[in-house]
Amino acid sequence: MTFGEQPAYLRVAGDLRKKIADGSLPPHTRLPSQARIREEYGVSDTVALEARKVLMAEGLVEGRSGSGTYVRERPVPRSVARSGYRPAGGATPFRQEQADAAVRGTWESSSEQAEAGAAIAERLAIQAGDRVMRTRYLFREAGEPMMLSTSWEPLAVTGRTPVMLPEEGPLGGMGVAERMRAIDVIVDNVTEEVGARPGLAEELHVLGGVPGHVVLVIQRTYYASGRAVETADVVIPADRYRVAYHLPVR
């Protein structure tokens, strides 16, 4: 194979992908069988199988038990807008995550005390095993699950204060910065690192999707005078949403 030449299975997958994109193979159409691919493209069974596996891994097709492999309906990606801080007038965690006053959504949450694992302890600059308040969120837009979030706050900061539980008390449901301000902790910086990975089975079960679907993962950490006071993982289905940042020019 010369430099730049694609393996046969990628060439076949590329042609089938093009047919899906241009509508020659519309959603819910059955993908040509392995035998049909072999005959049409003059390739081996192995090449035909590998080409189908590529399309499956890319989420373009899905297998239906006892029926075959079909082209998936491709959702039109919607924007998830983000900014460093909760916008003025937005008092809910959903607004904090969305940073978009036009969004209307609901969420479910649960909080529990836990011990910080090594990775979370490193992000919070505490010791592994230190106590944290862990809060899990499921956000919905028009009733459809669209985002998961898990946050961790050191109980050395919030323990035995009115804001120990993010969703309860006088400031329950407010943003991190406002809750911390109530206990004289002034948030002055936030970082977000965005990455992508295959969704975990339990994530895709809640968000909708099949094994192998990619999710966007945002690791967010709030700081007050250099001290991390909250860190969170935000998980978003990459095939349905795009993350748009709105950042002020200073």
Side-chain angles (χ1 to χ4, degrees):
M1 184 174 65
T2 60
F3 178 76
E5 182 181 354
Q6 286 187 321
Y9 76 95
L10 289 181
R11 294 199 301 272
V12 173
D15 189 66
L16 291 171
R17 187 189 301 113
K18 182 180 178 181
K19 290 180 178 179
I20 292 172
D22 67 17
S24 300
L25 287 172
H28 310 297
T29 299
R30 187 171 180 175
L31 192 72
S33 66
Q34 188 171 316
R36 176 77 177 274
I37 293 174
R38 182 190 65 214
E39 294 171 3
E40 182 175 344
Y41 293 95
V43 296
S44 66
D45 280 332
T46 300
V47 169
L49 177 61
E50 290 302 314
R52 288 162 62 91
K53 285 182 178 179
V54 168
L55 299 178
M56 185 81 73
E58 292 176 349
L60 295 174
V61 301
E62 60 185 354
R64 298 180 186 174
S65 180
S67 179
T69 304
Y70 291 80
V71 178
R72 290 184 63 241
E73 185 81 45
R74 299 295 291 171
V76 177
R78 286 170 285 177
S79 178
V80 176
R82 298 187 65 77
S83 67
Y85 293 94
R86 176 179 55 79
T92 69
F94 194 87
R95 290 282 197 275
Q96 179 185 326
E97 297 295 349
Q98 287 290 79
D100 184 347
V103 170
R104 294 294 182 270
T106 60
W107 72 94
E108 305 161 16
S109 68
S110 63
S111 296
E112 61 183 353
Q113 294 191 32
E115 294 183 356
I120 297 303
E122 182 176 0
R123 285 160 58 175
L124 291 172
I126 60 178
Q127 295 296 314
D130 283 359
R131 304 294 290 177
V132 295
M133 184 62 68
R134 179 176 60 203
T135 303
R136 295 186 173 98
Y137 294 93
L138 167 61
F139 296 91
R140 300 179 187 273
E141 184 180 0
E144 176 187 340
M146 53 83 65
M147 181 167 59
L148 295 171
S149 178
T150 304
S151 70
W152 296 266
E153 295 180 354
L155 287 175
V157 175
T158 62
R160 298 184 180 181
T161 74
V163 302
M164 185 173 73
L165 292 169
E167 292 299 307
E168 298 180 22
L171 293 179
M174 304 303 283
V176 173
E178 186 163 351
R179 290 175 47 250
M180 293 296 168
R181 189 182 303 116
I183 58 173
D184 297 324
V185 175
I186 306 303
V187 172
D188 54 19
N189 190 28
V190 58
T191 65
E192 292 197 349
E193 297 181 8
V194 183
R197 59 167 171 76
L200 304 178
E202 54 268 29
E203 293 169 341
L204 296 175
H205 175 71
V206 175
L207 293 172
V210 298
H213 276 196
V214 173
V215 296
L216 300 174
V217 181
I218 302 170
Q219 287 189 3
R220 180 197 68 210
T221 305
Y222 281 98
Y223 295 90
S225 300
R227 180 182 186 181
V229 296
E230 189 257 17
T231 193
D233 286 340
V234 181
V235 179
I236 304 169
D239 63 334
R240 284 184 276 147
Y241 294 93
R242 299 290 182 266
V243 178
Y245 280 85
H246 301 265
L247 304 175
V249 176
R250 298 176 185 270

